[in-house]
Amino acid sequence: MPTARKRQVSLSDTKYYHCISRCVRRAFLCGQDRLTGQSYEHRRDWVEEKLLALGKVFCIEVCGYAVMSNHTHIVLYVDDKKAQRLTDKAIVIRWHKLFKGNWLTQRFIRGDELSVSEQSMLAADITEFRLRLANISWFMRVLNEDIARRANKEDGCTGRFWEGRFKSQALLDEAALAACMAYVDLNPIRAKMADTPESSDFTSIKKRIECARQGKQLNSLRRFAGNPRANMPGGLPFELTYYIQLVELTGRCMRADKLGYISDSQPLLARLQIEPENWLKLTTRFTKVFHGAVGRKQAMTDYCERLGKKRRTNLVQCERLFG
């Protein structure tokens, strides 16, 4: 039986999650159907555009993504504290960017005077919207429903487009986060859809590299804040330069026509204390090796205890690869 989503998400343990959605049809989500010759490449634009737009509306930031031929990989950061900080009006405005709302929320935005009972009803609605804007399931629902409706309309059919549930993995520490992000960014290279990270279309790494060439960071993706330190600003706990170099070196190791080598002195690997050979296994077989939460022993133990899980599913593999 699939594990209930509420037993997979524990924001007190981690705010980073890896989500995977897979298309159920014979036809591709995107790419070219070999039987009919029809190209669905334009649907990758749909996914990327919608994903980055939702990152600006939800209190959930996109850390990494890759849009593949029949599935998507997304790494998300849930900023539940931001959802609590936003004013009631800001919450309703964000919700109206996703849905029409109701007569009460429309009147609230117009500035109409509300009775005591109407204010009470509105407060309940806003509380629910606040929770949903920091909820991974709602984020993935809005993303996948939009793509499914557009694809169904284009294909002239009805019915299910995605598998019943998206898969999610809790990333419990920096090592798990770095390995998963690199795994996601290198998906097109493993699938031989691209030769280099900067040429891998519809991935976060390509977007980051294009922006880094101009000495900037993308506003539509969670920023790199550098190594952990006192008074650290919000963002990914890595240096952007080191991460891009690491993904590039890892990509070379995966290429059949290049020997490739990841130096033991690579700063990010050294800080995360991951052996180069283990890093290659992590970034090529992440979802095959791990089926659930990922992290070092103590992080796994705390996470399982908090959610009342009796089994620490990935513990042996985590100890073997993360040390």
Side-chain angles (χ1 to χ4, degrees):
M1 291 288 291
T3 305
R5 194 73 62 200
K6 64 182 179 180
R7 289 179 56 80
Q8 297 179 38
V9 176
S10 173
L11 297 182
S12 58
D13 288 295
T14 181
K15 299 181 188 296
Y16 291 99
Y17 293 85
H18 173 214
C19 301
I20 307 167
S21 295
R22 192 171 297 275
C23 181
V24 297
R25 293 186 189 155
R26 174 189 57 77
F28 287 125
L29 161 65
C30 47
Q32 186 169 357
D33 189 327
R34 296 176 183 176
L35 295 180
T36 65
Q38 184 174 352
S39 175
Y40 298 96
E41 191 71 13
H42 58 283
R43 292 180 181 175
R44 302 177 102 189
D45 275 315
W46 295 356
V47 177
E48 185 175 55
E49 182 181 344
K50 186 68 175 181
L51 175 64
L52 296 180
L54 291 180
K56 296 179 180 179
V57 178
F58 277 83
C59 297
I60 295 176
E61 295 182 63
V62 180
C63 303
Y65 66 88
V67 184
M68 304 300 289
S69 61
N70 67 345
H71 65 283
T72 61
H73 287 275
I74 308 171
V75 179
L76 300 173
Y77 172 84
V78 182
D79 194 349
D80 55 326
K81 292 184 179 179
K82 179 179 179 180
Q84 295 303 318
R85 289 196 308 268
L86 291 175
T87 64
D88 289 352
K89 187 173 183 178
I91 289 292
V92 174
I93 289 174
R94 285 174 179 251
W95 189 253
H96 282 180
K97 290 181 179 180
L98 304 172
F99 302 99
K100 293 181 180 179
N102 55 41
W103 64 274
L104 203 52
T105 60
Q106 295 290 349
R107 288 186 58 196
F108 173 66
I109 291 300
R110 288 198 303 267
D112 295 348
E113 187 174 347
L114 304 177
S115 66
V116 175
S117 60
E118 287 173 338
Q119 290 177 13
S120 178
M121 293 167 59
L122 176 66
D125 286 340
I126 292 176
T127 297
E128 184 63 26
F129 297 160
R130 198 181 296 276
L131 292 173
R132 291 177 179 180
L133 288 174
N135 185 288
I136 291 176
S137 292
W138 271 91
F139 184 99
M140 297 301 295
R141 170 183 174 176
V142 175
L143 171 64
N144 288 346
E145 277 191 2
D146 180 73
I147 302 304
R149 289 179 187 277
R150 295 176 69 177
N152 280 351
K153 183 177 180 180
E154 183 178 64
D155 293 341
C157 67
T158 59
R160 180 171 291 177
F161 184 79
W162 302 97
E163 286 184 349
R165 285 161 43 108
F166 67 92
K167 296 179 181 178
S168 67
Q169 291 179 297
L171 307 174
L172 301 176
D173 52 33
E174 293 177 24
L177 174 62
C180 185
M181 285 185 60
Y183 169 82
V184 169
D185 279 328
L186 289 167
N187 253 261
I189 292 178
R190 278 198 314 280
K192 298 183 179 179
M193 296 171 63
D195 292 329
T196 60
E198 64 270 22
S199 66
S200 55
D201 293 330
F202 307 103
T203 61
S204 51
I205 189 65
K206 181 178 181 180
K207 286 279 189 184
R208 290 191 189 279
I209 290 174
E210 289 174 347
C211 209
R213 284 172 174 165
Q214 303 172 18
K216 301 177 182 178
Q217 288 204 52
L218 281 171
N219 292 326
S220 54
L221 294 173
R222 184 162 173 80
R223 297 170 64 84
F224 282 78
N227 297 331
R229 58 195 182 276
N231 301 318
M232 180 179 175
L236 294 163
F238 316 119
E239 293 286 351
L240 173 60
T241 304
Y242 291 158
Y243 177 76
I244 292 176
Q245 290 174 351
L246 191 59
V247 172
E248 168 67 19
L249 288 170
T250 308
R252 289 185 182 183
C253 294
M254 292 177 183
R255 293 278 303 279
D257 57 338
K258 292 186 178 181
L259 293 177
Y261 177 70
I262 296 180
S263 170
D264 290 316
S265 62
Q266 180 64 32
L268 187 52
L269 278 189
R271 180 166 70 78
L272 297 177
Q273 297 178 320
I274 301 177
E275 293 297 324
E277 53 270 29
N278 286 345
W279 175 257
L280 284 177
K281 185 177 291 187
L282 287 166
T283 51
T284 54
R285 303 181 61 199
F286 195 90
T287 54
K288 292 182 179 179
V289 173
F290 303 114
H291 301 281
V294 186
R296 290 195 164 93
K297 182 177 180 178
Q298 189 57 53
M300 286 285 292
T301 300
D302 294 342
Y303 170 81
C304 290
E305 287 181 354
R306 197 135 14 221
L307 293 178
K309 291 176 175 284
K310 295 182 179 179
R311 296 181 58 193
R312 294 174 292 178
T313 311
N314 294 317
L315 186 59
V316 173
Q317 293 288 9
C318 287
E319 288 184 315
R320 183 179 301 163
L321 296 174
F322 293 120

